[in-house]
Amino acid sequence: MNKFFASFVKEILLLIRDRAGMISLFIMPMILVFVMTVIEDSALNSTADKQISMLFSNPQNDSLGIAIKNGLDDTKAFTIVETVDNKPLDKQSLKHYVSAGKYPVGIYIPEGATDTLRSNTRKVVMKTFAEIGLTSGETKTYDFDSVLIDIFYDPAVRNSLKALVDGAIGQHSANIVGKMISEMYSEILSDFLPGDKKLNVNYPTMISVNKQYASEPGNTIIPNSTQHNVPSWTLFAMFFIVIPLASSIIQEKDGGTYLRLVTMPKTYITTFIGKMVVYFIVCLLQVTILFSMGMYIIPLTGIPGLQIGTHFDALVVAVLASAFAAVAFGVMMGSFCTSYQQAASVGVILIIILASFGGLWMPVYLMPKNLQGMLGYSPMNWALTNFYDLFLRNAQIKDILPNVYKLILFGIGCFTLGLAYKAIKKVK
Amino acid sequence: MAEETIIEIINLSKTYKGNKKPAVDGISLKIRQGEIFGLLGPNGAGKTTTISILCGLFAPGKGDVFIDGLSVRKDTERIKHIIGIVPQDIALYPSLTAYENLRFIGRMYGLKGVMLKERINMYVELLGLQDSLNKKISTFSGGMKRRINLVAGLLHNPKILILDEPTVGVDVQSRNLMVQYLKELNKTGTTIIYTSHYLQEAECLCSRVAFMDNGKIIIQGSPKELISKTPGCSNMEESFLKLTGVDLRD
């Protein structure tokens, strides 16, 4: 116990005197969690409306254009910009501003769009009536002049924004066409009614959408940027201890203290465990600090705070298992790597790969199917799934146990591999 | 000087994986209790490998080593209590103070409380470091680092002290203090095994020396015997060059 305590104190002293290490373990993760939460919150419009500026040119004040503009405006996802420097936009200037990267997207409504659309609609309706013999018009072919709406995208724009704009335009165009067809039917059918009676075909809203989160009764946690980002980037920070931990092991090897430690009686394993315990505590401190920041500091910016669910015991289990896996991974890296540079470069790349497969960078459902299958092999995914289950689904211990077991097995595997490799190197 | 053998190396060989040539090639040696034994040789001669096996850092390939009657193959942990090592590198934590380093090392040897404090104070005073006890190792001069490195190897009062080039890069004053202290320590019965490239220092300090080259012991005896066995040489450095050659070994 004396040896363990001595080793523990030594590691604490080494850690707190390493200013760069302390910054990378505590300050940088705080900045990372804060920045990522704020950025994603802005992107998801959970606190501020109309984040995406969109150029919109409708030179003839065409009613189709106005309808589309109003529809886009109603989504509250866009800020519609119709003049730049107090000058109205034409097709060329609109394209220029977008290609220059000043605006991510621009929409141009061509001249006579409504007239063309109305004409097309009339042709469709007339053809239909002619086919059933209600009118005597042409039943075979009609020439349609399709209304061509130009949408210009900045090449740097992500596909998600394109999908959002395309979807919004498609939806509002369909609504307008539907409305025109119904008006046309009403107008023509009115001719068959006696007297001055007018047919007025109106459609009510036939399909309503009830958007809600599939939460269990009693779970009032609402998913938001904080709920996703704080656990994600906290895990990233926890696994980042690989670098200072591996460096500490390598520095002992390089500096000769390893030689002294292995020549002391029954010492090396004790000092190794002392090192692990210190970094394990670092992980727990990281979680405490970063989750507290999510709960108490992030709400000061107007973003919803982190809610950790009601099963604190399960949260403790999830955190302990994640910390164990992160520390054991660091021990393995420290054993395998032969220089600080190697540990820093290989460690960072491995963490980024694990984070990618773990769903930290982007939601799992956006990944290609074949990559989604690999998620089952990332300890970060197991740990993140635990936190999501706890924070978004208010899970209990029994719900997270499968991933907890995986994390513990991963940790034992890393620790065993690291020590076995050291033993083999010693024999050689 | 007592005649009892405290270290017996029997036909010791060690070949590192990937190398065809052995680093240590069938050496046999007896070191008597209470002597200062110098293990000398050019770079790559096999000195550090031999010392590493004595310390239990790695197992012998062939042969065996007995330290105070204990085999390095079977009794590694017990041997670790008997020996103290002063590595070539400053094997201390630069960001910790001298006291914090020594307290950690002392506790690793099972020392604690008043005994540990007294032991630390005694050795730092003997090596002239009492005023620097609470300074970080990173602020020490080269000589001070070498001296505190020596203190770290002595804290548990080892029966055998193994020093791997302990005076590399230190000023004349520090070297003189260390050599004088090692002589005093030897008088108390501590057996000292010492490697160095400073042959004049070895000649002055060691009661017996062995020259190693290409993993083998090429000659051993007292410095005077070695000089007398190499005709035309008036000191150990001349003997050494005559026996090991003048070709560079890097």
Side-chain angles (χ1 to χ4, degrees), chain A residues 175-374:
Chain A
N175 285 346
I176 292 160
V177 169
K179 196 177 171 194
M180 276 188 178
I181 288 174
S182 102
E183 284 170 2
M184 203 63 66
Y185 275 117
S186 301
E187 186 186 321
I188 295 169
L189 285 172
S190 293
D191 293 344
F192 295 95
L193 294 177
D196 291 336
K197 281 191 176 176
K198 293 281 178 196
L199 183 66
N200 191 8
V201 179
N202 271 329
Y203 26 153
T205 305
M206 295 186 188
I207 300 173
S208 299
V209 176
N210 180 19
K211 294 179 189 173
Q212 56 189 309
Y213 292 109
S215 305
E216 293 299 323
N219 179 16
T220 55
I221 298 170
I222 297 169
N224 54 49
S225 164
T226 314
Q227 296 296 98
H228 284 99
N229 280 293
V230 173
S232 294
W233 300 111
T234 298
L235 268 173
F236 192 70
M238 285 168 79
F239 274 81
F240 231 82
I241 64 150
V242 163
I243 293 163
L245 174 54
S247 302
S248 161
I249 294 169
I250 290 161
Q251 274 170 7
E252 278 183 348
K253 278 191 278 192
D254 286 352
T257 41
Y258 169 75
L259 178 76
R260 197 186 286 287
L261 291 173
V262 292
T263 55
M264 290 175 180
K266 290 178 184 169
T267 293
Y268 192 65
I269 289 290
T270 313
T271 54
F272 214 67
I273 292 170
K275 197 185 287 291
M276 280 188 72
V277 169
V278 167
Y279 280 90
F280 188 79
I281 291 170
V282 166
C283 283
L284 302 186
L285 280 174
Q286 285 179 319
V287 172
T288 308
I289 292 169
L290 296 173
F291 281 11
S292 300
M293 196 178 87
M295 291 165 76
Y296 304 113
I297 296 177
I298 285 178
L300 300 177
T301 64
I303 297 170
L306 178 71
Q307 293 184 62
I308 57 170
T310 55
H311 299 110
F312 191 72
D313 51 348
L315 177 60
V316 170
V317 171
V319 169
L320 292 177
S322 306
F324 176 67
V327 170
F329 186 55
V331 167
M332 188 181 74
M333 291 300 295
S335 302
F336 285 163
C337 294
T338 53
S339 68
Y340 170 76
Q341 288 79 1
Q342 209 177 63
S345 55
V346 176
V348 168
I349 292 167
L350 267 177
I351 293 162
I352 289 172
I353 290 171
L354 287 177
S356 305
F357 287 142
L360 267 72
W361 297 111
M362 66 163 72
V364 172
Y365 53 81
L366 287 181
M367 292 184 185
K369 285 283 175 203
N370 48 349
L371 278 187
Q372 284 185 25
M374 296 177 77

Side-chain angles (χ1 to χ4, degrees), chain B residues 52-95:
Chain B
S52 299
I53 294 169
L54 294 184
C55 299
L57 194 60
F58 31 73
K62 287 179 189 168
D64 206 345
V65 178
F66 291 92
I67 296 174
D68 208 16
L70 303 168
S71 164
V72 293
R73 287 187 180 275
K74 298 173 192 165
D75 304 305
T76 316
E77 287 305 313
R78 288 172 70 190
I79 288 172
K80 285 177 179 176
H81 285 281
I82 300 169
I83 59 168
I85 177 138
V86 181
Q88 192 174 342
D89 293 318
I90 306 299
L92 297 165
Y93 298 99
S95 60

Side-chain angles (χ1 to χ4, degrees), chain A residues 8 50 59 61 100 187:
Chain A
F8 179 78
K50 302 184 179 181
N61 254 348
E187 186 186 321

Side-chain angles (χ1 to χ4, degrees), chain B residues 199-240:
Chain B
L199 296 187
Q200 199 182 347
E201 185 181 292
E203 190 176 336
C204 152
L205 185 65
C206 299
S207 47
R208 280 200 313 138
V209 296
F211 286 174
M212 280 189 83
D213 199 11
N214 293 316
K216 294 177 189 290
I217 289 174
I218 52 175
I219 195 167
Q220 58 175 304
S222 71
K224 279 185 183 173
E225 283 170 353
L226 261 58
I227 295 164
S228 65
K229 282 178 187 172
T230 44
C233 298
S234 60
N235 57 46
M236 222 160 65
E237 189 162 329
E238 287 175 7
S239 301
F240 183 82

